[in-house]
Amino acid sequence: MPYQTTVGSLTYRFADLKTLLAKASPARSGDALAGLAADSYEERMAAKIALADVPLQRFLDEALIPYEADEVTRLIIDSHDTAAFAPIRHLSVGDFRDWLLLDSTDSATLTAAARGITPEMAAAVSKLMRNQDLILVAKKCRVVTRFRNTIGLPGHLSVRLQPNHPTDDLRGIAASLLDGLLYGAGDAVVGINPASDSPATLMQLWRMMDELRQRFEIPLQSCVLTHVTSQIQAIEAGAPIDLVFQSIAGTQKTNESFGIDLALLREAHAAALSLGRGTLGDNVMYFETGQGSALSAGGHHGVDQQTCEARAYAVAREFRPLLTNTVVGFIGPEYLYDGKQIIRAGLEDHFCAKLLGVPMGCDVCYTNHAEADQDDMDNLLTLLGAAGITFIMGIPGADDIMLNYQSTSFHDALYLRSTLGLKRAPEFDAWLAKMAITEASGQLRPISRGHALLRAF
């Protein structure tokens, strides 16, 4: 059905709900590339006004991508919790924004409502919100997960230690890994992006990380970020796999371009659970997402990139992951042109995921041909820290020498923890103190050449 609003003497009409959502989106290069963006600030504001009046129920009645054509749509509709939705069912999108910002809408209320909120509802309300609104509401959302430690507790920030190497050299990876541990990083996961898909190489990486963990009794989990089919095969071959990783997206067609579907993810989830390697919990999946993936795969169906991204969180939520993160500026300026667009996208992604009950981190990053710099990343890092981000990346020097992009360093995590008073996962914090890496306060201690980790490496 069409939507319209009048501004002055002009009446703006929007053919359907997905057009309205696209026109209401903050400016970004990906939507312009797809021909979906508003033609002017006036049209964008008119779309926001019209969107504010749309009942939340409409998103259940009018699928953006047909139910019959897309398994992600079917997942969203079939898993919708009508009881959780009941307290907000009467609201419009504008009313929903006001409700989210109320002091009385606390963490418990948001947790109870999460399964009643669809990705499209979350994306819609985010389009009416200022950056501070996204931060305030996300800060109230609590999503706690466990495997060998506890992630997502209020007042805590975890770090993925990312010791990549361009040739998967074990000594080079070990050096980066040691560097990260001595800076107190790694409580989210030690996650390696391998340069090779060789089963023998992948097995070496899994075994090296597991041997290190066992030798020093580190309460962490590891992951090799290769395709999910390789991980299933490795589990069958006896690999010591903690978390199963996969990049996911918000449409069936885009996921097919990644070589996956929901059935394959269910198989991987069951395989990881069968190993029983978690000591505190059974959140065994790790997912990555990013705005622009659906457009780059030709799988967006005319839906704006931020709404497509939010739909990916329905896929993540289905499998109760330990970790999910948006690799926010990685795809490039064709989708998020500059620092302003990257910052806005990072705040949107974090807000939408947390609102849906997904444990959300962010790879605060950009490619070298984007109109962005490290100051932009510092701004986003700080804003996300205020918003209660679950985890960030820890990369030596913030420069990934395998993937060739700019992210956040071990020092960036120290800055954020110090500035905002954030703690590490409690089990990991206790291990750091036991290993004489940190003081009781959590601050780093000077490390001598005789330290046990240096001797071992």
Side-chain angles (χ1 to χ4, degrees):
M1 62 175 290
Y3 301 83
Q4 68 178 49
T5 191
T6 300
V7 179
S9 60
L10 290 177
T11 297
Y12 292 88
R13 291 177 60 85
F14 308 98
D16 51 30
L17 192 53
K18 69 180 177 181
T19 301
L20 179 64
L21 287 167
K23 298 292 187 182
S25 290
R28 61 205 55 199
S29 52
D31 290 339
L33 179 66
L36 303 176
D39 293 329
S40 65
Y41 286 105
E42 289 81 3
E43 185 183 26
R44 182 173 297 114
M45 184 54 66
K48 290 178 186 288
I49 293 170
L51 180 59
D53 292 333
V54 174
L56 292 182
Q57 178 64 39
R58 187 70 50 77
F59 294 96
L60 297 170
D61 299 335
E62 184 179 339
L64 303 186
I65 302 173
Y67 182 93
E68 300 77 13
D70 186 272
E71 69 172 359
V72 178
T73 298
R74 293 194 290 275
L75 174 66
I76 292 167
I77 298 300
D78 294 348
S79 64
H80 183 250
D81 188 329
T82 55
F85 182 55
I88 58 174
R89 181 176 182 175
H90 64 288
L91 299 178
S92 68
V93 177
D95 295 332
F96 186 35
R97 173 188 176 273
D98 295 342
W99 179 82
L100 288 170
L101 293 169
L102 289 172
D103 289 339
S104 57
T105 305
D106 57 13
S107 297
T109 304
L110 291 170
T111 298
R115 284 282 176 174
I117 300 169
T118 69
E120 292 84 355
M121 295 174 195
V125 74
S126 76
K127 298 176 193 298
L128 305 184
M129 302 176 88
R130 293 169 57 185
N131 285 1
Q132 66 173 243
D133 299 336
L134 299 173
I135 293 168
L136 179 62
V137 176
K139 179 75 170 181
K140 296 192 288 185
C141 296
R142 296 282 181 263
V143 186
V144 178
T145 57
R146 294 177 175 88
F147 189 77
R148 290 199 187 93
N149 56 31
T150 306
I151 295 173
L153 292 169
H156 288 67
L157 169 75
S158 294
V159 176
R160 170 186 160 189
L161 205 174
Q162 185 170 308
N164 295 344
H165 191 278
T167 63
D168 293 329
D169 179 76
L170 294 182
R171 294 175 65 191
I173 289 170
S176 294
L177 207 164
L178 171 63
D179 194 26
L181 289 174
L182 293 177
Y183 275 109
D187 52 340
V189 64
V190 176
I192 300 172
N193 299 88
S196 168
D197 288 330
S198 161
T201 298
L202 299 178
M203 189 66 79
Q204 284 183 320
L205 297 176
W206 277 307
R207 286 176 174 163
M208 180 187 74
M209 291 188 290
D210 197 54
E211 288 168 6
L212 173 70
R213 177 190 65 81
Q214 292 190 63
R215 178 173 180 181
F216 292 99
E217 300 178 329
I218 312 175
L220 55 69
Q221 39 280 331
S222 63
C223 185
V224 177
L225 283 70
T226 188
H227 194 269
V228 67
T229 53
S230 297
Q231 293 165 88
I232 293 172
Q233 292 167 5
I235 288 173
E236 294 170 347
I241 291 177
D242 291 339
L243 305 185
V244 169
F245 164 82
Q246 182 56 48
S247 293
I248 58 172
T251 71
Q252 178 178 333
K253 186 174 182 180
T254 308
N255 283 327
E256 287 172 349
S257 77
F258 294 161
I260 63 168
D261 57 18
L262 296 179
L264 182 59
L265 292 179
R266 291 190 180 99
E267 180 184 350
H269 186 232
L273 286 174
S274 73
L275 298 178
R277 291 174 60 82
T279 55
L280 296 184
D282 63 353
N283 300 115
V284 296
M285 303 298 284
Y286 174 22
F287 295 120
E288 285 189 345
T289 68
Q291 288 194 30
S293 61
L295 176 58
S296 65
H300 64 296
H301 298 274
V303 177
D304 70 90
Q305 68 180 39
Q306 189 250 333
T307 302
C308 282
E309 170 72 6
R311 284 168 55 94
Y313 308 149
V315 177
R317 181 169 65 178
E318 176 71 5
F319 298 97
R320 302 185 302 108
L322 181 76
L323 306 165
T324 302
N325 72 272
T326 170
V327 193
V328 65
F330 182 74
I331 301 181
E334 299 85 356
Y335 307 98
L336 296 169
Y337 179 71
D338 57 15
K340 182 180 178 69
Q341 292 187 11
I342 292 171
I343 289 169
R344 175 68 190 190
L347 294 175
E348 288 170 346
D349 294 351
H350 179 249
F351 161 84
C352 288
K354 285 289 184 65
L355 194 60
L356 295 169
V358 174
M360 195 64 172
C362 183
D363 190 342
V364 179
C365 65
Y366 64 101
T367 57
N368 289 318
H369 61 309
E371 291 294 321
D373 59 27
Q374 210 66 40
D375 285 335
D376 294 315
M377 299 305 103
D378 286 349
N379 292 342
L380 178 54
L381 178 69
T382 306
L383 293 172
L384 286 171
I389 192 76
T390 299
F391 73 104
I392 61 169
M393 305 296 142
I395 298 170
D399 184 5
D400 193 297
I401 58 174
M402 197 283 282
L403 294 173
N404 294 312
Y405 77 115
Q406 310 305 312
S407 185
T408 48
S409 70
F410 307 136
H411 297 81
D412 292 327
L414 296 177
Y415 147 74
L416 200 58
R417 288 193 175 118
S418 177
T419 302
L420 300 179
L422 301 173
K423 300 178 181 179
R424 302 172 185 88
E427 301 85 358
F428 190 75
D429 226 3
W431 177 82
L432 291 172
K434 183 181 76 171
M435 292 294 295
I437 295 172
T438 60
E439 306 284 359
S441 64
Q443 291 184 320
L444 295 177
R445 299 179 61 175
I447 302 297
S448 70
R449 292 189 178 185
H451 191 277
L453 282 179
L454 283 172
R455 290 200 313 270
F457 274 75

